[in-house]
Every structure is written in C-alpha cells, then in structure tokens.
Amino acid sequence: MARIEERLMEMLEPAVAALDFELWGVEFVRAGKHSTLRVYIDHADGVGVDDCAQVSYQVSAILDVEDPINTEYFLEVSSPGMERPFFAAQQFADYVGEIAAVELTMAQQGKRKFKGEIAAVDGNQITFVVDGETFTVAHSTIKKAHLVPQFN
C-alpha cells in the first residue's frame, strides 16, 4: 500500500469504526483533475447506499479539515463487493479455499499475474495453489489482488 493510502487508513479508520463499519481499504487513483479516492467499507449485515452516504459525509468532513491530498479528486465510498480487493494479508485468511486474481510487483517463479486458490495465510506470507502447485508470496510483493467470485 502506498504511503498516502496508509496515512488515509490511519486517519479515517476511527471515524468509520465509530459509525459501526469496518474500513476495508483505501485506494487513491491519480489522474490529474480526475483523480479518485475510493474508500471501501464493510459490515457483517452488508452495506447499503444509505450506509455509504453516511460514511461519505463523515469522511468528507475529516478530509476537508485534514486536507491530506493536495490535488482535486472525487470521493467514492462503497462496499468491497463480490470481487472484493485485498489490502492486507490478514484479509486473505477469511477466504481460504476461494480463488483470487493476483498481480505482483515483479515476477516470482515466472509468475507476475495469476489466479489461484488461497491455501493459507501465515503472517505476511500468503500461499496459493496455482495450476496444482503451491506458490507462496509476501504480501508486500502484491501490487493488486481481488477475490474471483465462483458461481456453482
């Protein structure tokens, strides 16, 4: 996670938790005047539009006061959805046995992008089963990862 996103997580987590939601993750996508700050919230009972509006109102107030981003941006608040992105190693643990799409910062064992079953999480190490072979990576080497929904 980039430094600005880590700072935003630390800044926003208490306010989101006070509203009884989990701050699942934060993404800041730079694109000049069209940059986007995405704030993902989660709750055991799900997340609705009204929940997103409530969190957006609170987060906007904090961002207006703290002013951590020195460029124009759009704020989006949503649930992680079915293809939930992963932001921390421990988030993978609840999805052992599920399939994830992963992009690494650099190739390891000839793989940079892959889909595999989440097999285990041990601290910062995440083990996947890719094409029948075990593949373990440090969370710090993951550029992006998200759940791949399976429909039976």
Side-chain angles (χ1 to χ4, degrees), residues 58-116:
Q58 188 68 32
V59 165
S60 291
I62 293 167
L63 294 172
D64 286 347
V65 171
E66 298 293 330
D67 199 22
I69 302 171
N70 59 3
T71 185
E72 292 180 34
Y73 62 92
F74 297 101
L75 173 63
E76 294 178 4
V77 177
S78 73
S79 77
M82 290 175 44
E83 288 189 5
R84 66 180 48 231
F86 293 109
F87 296 94
Q90 69 270 16
Q91 291 176 333
F92 287 87
D94 290 338
Y95 297 93
V96 168
E98 304 272 347
I99 304 296
V102 180
E103 181 180 350
L104 303 175
T105 54
M106 60 174 36
Q108 294 180 30
Q109 298 174 342
K111 292 175 177 52
R112 183 157 184 263
K113 291 183 178 183
F114 62 89
K115 287 183 184 175

Side-chain angles (χ1 to χ4, degrees), residues 29-44:
V29 181
R30 296 176 196 276
K33 287 188 174 186
H34 303 288
S35 296
T36 304
L37 173 60
R38 290 191 185 101
V39 176
Y40 295 97
I41 59 171
D42 206 6
H43 192 277

Side-chain angles (χ1 to χ4, degrees), residues 6 9 20 32 46 51 61-62 79 84 88 95 107 122 126 130 138 147:
E6 290 173 7
M9 285 287 291
D20 199 29
D51 300 326
I62 293 167
S79 77
R84 66 180 48 231
Y95 297 93
D122 184 14
I126 303 153
V130 182
L147 197 62

